[in-house]
Amino acid sequence: MTTICQWCKDLWLSFVSSIIFYTSIPLPYIEGLNFKRVARLAPVVGLVIAMLLLLIDIGLTLLYVPTFTRSVLVVALWVYITGGLHLDGAMDTADGLAVTNPERRLEVMADSATGAFGAMAGVLILLLKTAALTDLNPQNRWFAIIAACGWGRWAQVLAILRYSYLKPTGKGAFHKEAINSPFDLLPGLLLLLAITTLTALLHPQNLTFVPFTVLAGITLSFITGAWFNYKLGGHTGDTYGAVVEWTEALFLCSMTII
């Protein structure tokens, strides 16, 4: 019994640590927080973010806010809840990739100043998300938001596991130390599959749409991480954020096609 209680306590502390690390949600200080293993619970944090976005989206719907305006507000809140953590990484990564000299890329990515390519990447990501949310079938909108937040962060865990970390230290180095087994992918994957299955059972009319999202999520998760690895020869904390943002944006776009 003591072992179970300790396991539950450790899991709770890891969850709180993940929320504090990956979001700007204000939480009181809790003794015993451990941030070294927060990446394992990233998909769960994604679902928490999605729930908050859905509550706002539902509230705006009840106020008869038009779809486009509602989508802009949801995307803006999306950035606010995450503290712009992943978007900043995507912008820094874009600045680094714009440098023709591979040896200077990491130096440019570490610079806090945002360049032209970073700004363009950030605007493009926000536009893609806003346009996709606006074009989505209203009955699939809520599920698409949940799935995008979940698969974006599962893609991050996959990239951490599969590819080498480019710097000996950095804001993402400890993730690589914590994610070292394929089994670390299972909790997030099983959670996403469970949500997809439940959605398919509750909405039989979407029996084709919902399972296809699993294929889209897994495919994009592999592609985004692999592409940044191909371009840079590995990953950094910035590219982990870029993987999250681009997987989310491209996933939402793929949902409009379905």
Side-chain angles (χ1 to χ4, degrees):
M1 187 66 180
T2 303
T3 303
I4 296 176
C5 291
Q6 184 61 42
W7 181 82
C8 292
K9 179 181 178 181
D10 291 341
L11 183 62
W12 168 249
L13 290 174
S14 295
F15 173 70
V16 174
S17 300
S18 300
I19 293 292
I20 292 175
F21 185 85
Y22 285 118
T23 76
S24 59
I25 299 173
L27 292 176
Y29 174 76
I30 300 177
E31 188 174 353
L33 296 179
N34 185 357
F35 294 94
K36 292 184 177 180
R37 302 167 73 89
V38 293
R40 294 186 176 187
L41 293 177
V44 180
V45 175
L47 298 181
V48 172
I49 294 171
M51 291 298 105
L52 294 175
L53 295 176
L54 289 179
L55 287 175
I56 296 298
D57 196 42
I58 292 172
L60 294 173
T61 302
L62 295 176
L63 293 173
Y64 301 103
V65 176
T67 302
F68 178 72
T69 303
R70 188 155 41 96
S71 298
V72 172
L73 292 173
V74 167
V75 171
L77 181 66
W78 205 330
V79 176
Y80 175 77
I81 293 176
T82 61
L85 176 68
H86 305 304
L87 187 61
D88 177 67
M91 294 167 70
D92 286 342
T93 300
D95 281 333
L97 290 175
V99 177
T100 56
N101 183 358
E103 297 179 357
R104 289 198 62 244
R105 283 177 174 170
L106 294 183
E107 178 185 342
V108 171
M109 289 166 65
D111 191 343
S112 58
T114 300
F117 286 92
M120 287 188 286
V123 170
L124 182 58
I125 289 171
L126 297 178
L127 283 176
L128 287 175
K129 288 185 177 182
T130 302
L133 285 177
T134 303
D135 290 338
L136 276 169
N137 187 318
Q139 68 179 4
N140 295 329
R141 181 181 170 103
W142 67 272
F143 175 72
I145 292 175
I146 293 175
C149 289
W151 286 115
R153 282 150 188 81
W154 189 79
Q156 173 193 339
V157 180
L158 180 65
I160 294 171
L161 174 67
R162 292 191 69 197
Y163 305 112
S164 60
Y165 196 78
L166 290 175
K167 298 185 290 186
T169 60
K171 56 187 176 183
F174 64 94
H175 291 327
K176 187 63 180 176
E177 298 176 1
I179 306 296
N180 49 37
S181 168
F183 290 105
D184 293 328
L185 297 173
L186 284 179
L189 180 61
L190 293 176
L191 179 61
L192 288 166
L193 292 177
I195 292 173
T196 303
T197 302
L198 180 62
T199 304
L201 293 175
L202 293 176
H203 301 277
Q205 71 274 17
N206 290 341
L207 202 57
T208 302
F209 170 80
V210 175
F212 188 84
T213 63
V214 175
L215 177 61
I218 292 177
T219 301
L220 289 171
S221 295
F222 274 91
I223 289 175
T224 51
W227 190 82
F228 286 115
N229 179 71
Y230 169 74
K231 298 297 289 186
L232 294 169
H235 277 263
T236 68
D238 286 326
T239 62
Y240 292 156
V243 166
V244 173
E245 288 291 341
W246 282 109
T247 302
E248 287 179 341
L250 295 176
F251 179 87
L252 288 175
C253 290
S254 70
M255 293 302 96
T256 65
I257 298 173
I258 300 171

